[in-house]
Amino acid sequence: MPANPSAPVLVGDEPGSFPHSVLAERHPAVIRQVRDAFPYGPGQHRALDALLESCAEGVIDDLPAAAPDRDRWQDWGLGQYAARSWFDVPWLWSESYFYRRLLEAVGYFAPGPWQGIDPFRPSKLAELDSPETDGELAALDELEGKPLAERADALLHGSLWGNRADLGFRLSAAGAEAGPPVPALVADDREALWSLLPPSGAGTLCLVADNAGRELVPDLFLVAHLLAHGRVRRAVLHVKPYPYYVSDATTADVVDAVRRLTAAPGAAAEHGRRLWAAMADGRLTVRAHPFSCAPLPYADMPADLREEFAAATLTVFKGDLNYRRLVGDRLWPPTTPFADTTGYFPGPVAALRTLKSDVITGLDADTEAALDAAEGERWRVAGTHALIQVRT
């Protein structure tokens, strides 16, 4: 990351801004969703109500003294930010800590019957079992007769677009339907990405996953393809160690997705069996490092994680939150080079991301001007544009 960056850290203190709307509107909605998802008891209801009140009017509370990760959160800034407004501290920190407090409220970490119960599991499973997922799995059959390069591009776009994966399976250069004046894909370093994963590759791919369910399925398809066709010898899938940001993938979500694939008809089942076998023999490893849930940019990653990424042939960061953590959650000028904001990273790195927040780097000036002229500021957060960026 550039030394002493002048771009301001995003904070949610400005009414009408996207960060403010997340803190003021999305988080209360998440609390209500979780409250309705399980038959929690009076204790959890009281804790959820208290968190709801805190989000609207209160300040950031400390974790209980007995919390297993309290010392870690102290190192991550809790001592600095406790007793301050949720709206007056870095937005990345506020968002992350909100989900930690939500898990505290439902008893996820405390000994008892609700320990380890994912409060977001019902919505994850509903999405994974939806008819839309059936359609995306069936779309995989259409790729089987295509040349390998076309299949690889289609699977890459499927992973890029996530829950719009049906768009990714269209064998077009842009991977989506938007056209002039601004294409849906606003940066495309696809060739640089493939150059790092040659057909005779013998290296390791690290994929830092984003969401579970329908967004994880195309990620797994891509990994299965790369392993099956020799683009990588080994893949490491980085997931969250506990439920996070509603839909972020955990190890349990990976297992659910692989089971879903193996039970599907057609090519999806073959991919599922390949993934199952790869997990069994170690070619595919699931990693849940504690820093995956840190409220900090990856520039602050610990030494052991840095060593893992340094040893990889390529590390791919999926999704919007991981992008914010990769480049720094700042209001960068959009033309700030992606290579500048990721210069700290210890190896080749790529980002596959649909745009769902204000953070953006690596655009050329003409693309930025066209986006602003066509859509104002909405293009930053609407999820209708995407990018593939690579720093070799």
Side-chain angles (χ1 to χ4, degrees), residues 294-377:
L296 304 172
Y298 271 94
D300 296 334
M301 76 179 93
D304 63 329
L305 190 57
R306 179 177 292 273
E307 289 174 4
E308 286 188 39
F309 290 145
T313 305
L314 174 66
T315 299
V316 175
F317 282 81
K318 272 297 310 294
D320 195 78
L321 173 61
N322 285 328
Y323 187 87
R324 291 165 55 194
R325 295 185 65 197
L326 175 64
V327 304
D329 202 34
R330 296 173 176 270
L331 197 60
W332 299 104
T335 55
T336 304
F338 178 71
D340 287 0
T341 59
T342 57
Y344 70 89
F345 201 79
V349 63
L352 302 181
R353 177 228 183 178
T354 54
L355 278 56
K356 298 178 182 177
S357 69
D358 293 305
V359 179
I360 182 69
T361 68
L363 297 188
D364 63 56
D366 289 344
T367 298
E368 180 193 3
L371 286 164
D372 287 339
E375 303 177 32
E377 291 292 304

Side-chain angles (χ1 to χ4, degrees), residues 116-189:
I117 301 298
D118 184 347
F120 310 121
R121 186 167 172 79
S123 59
K124 290 176 177 178
L125 289 178
E127 183 179 279
L128 193 60
D129 294 335
S130 69
E132 289 81 5
T133 301
D134 290 333
E136 288 160 10
L137 298 183
L140 192 64
D141 294 334
E142 301 174 13
L143 295 180
E144 289 305 289
K146 303 291 184 180
L148 277 179
E150 290 188 17
R151 266 190 277 170
D153 273 351
L155 292 170
L156 180 67
H157 281 291
S159 179
L160 169 66
W161 286 103
N163 62 8
R164 298 176 67 207
D166 56 311
L167 300 178
F169 287 117
R170 297 179 185 176
L171 301 180
S172 63
E177 77 284 358
V182 185
L185 195 58
V186 298
D188 186 1
D189 292 343

Side-chain angles (χ1 to χ4, degrees), residues 255-278:
V255 174
D256 286 339
V258 174
R259 286 187 181 277
R260 176 76 164 87
L261 297 184
T262 58
E270 180 61 28
H271 277 65
R273 288 189 290 269
R274 288 172 182 164
L275 291 163
W276 194 287

Side-chain angles (χ1 to χ4, degrees), residues 79-258:
Q80 178 182 357
Y81 297 135
R84 294 177 61 180
S85 167
W86 293 91
F87 296 89
D88 292 338
V89 306
W91 179 43
L92 175 63
W93 201 96
S94 288
E95 277 198 290
S96 299
Y97 191 62
F98 165 78
Y99 286 100
R100 177 59 185 84
R101 292 299 312 186
L102 184 64
L103 294 181
E104 192 70 32
V106 299
Y108 182 87
F109 291 104
W114 294 100
Q115 186 176 33
I117 301 298
D118 184 347
F120 310 121
R121 186 167 172 79
S123 59
K124 290 176 177 178
L125 289 178
E127 183 179 279
L128 193 60
D129 294 335
S130 69
E132 289 81 5
T133 301
D134 290 333
E136 288 160 10
L137 298 183
L140 192 64
D141 294 334
E142 301 174 13
L143 295 180
E144 289 305 289
K146 303 291 184 180
L148 277 179
E150 290 188 17
R151 266 190 277 170
D153 273 351
L155 292 170
L156 180 67
H157 281 291
S159 179
L160 169 66
W161 286 103
N163 62 8
R164 298 176 67 207
D166 56 311
L167 300 178
F169 287 117
R170 297 179 185 176
L171 301 180
S172 63
E177 77 284 358
V182 185
L185 195 58
V186 298
D188 186 1
D189 292 343
R190 186 179 8 157
E191 291 185 8
L193 187 150
W194 290 133
S195 73
L196 293 167
L197 302 174
S200 58
T204 296
L205 170 73
C206 285
L207 195 153
V208 183
D210 186 29
N211 291 333
R214 287 175 59 204
E215 296 194 38
L216 182 60
V217 165
D219 295 344
L220 293 173
F221 284 162
L222 178 62
V223 169
H225 177 88
L226 296 176
L227 287 170
H229 296 284
R231 306 296 289 257
V232 296
R233 178 174 295 174
R234 181 170 175 264
V236 181
L237 186 66
H238 285 255
V239 299
K240 303 301 189 294
Y242 51 79
Y244 193 62
Y245 278 68
V246 180
S247 56
D248 279 31
T250 65
T251 301
D253 299 319
V254 174
V255 174
D256 286 339
V258 174

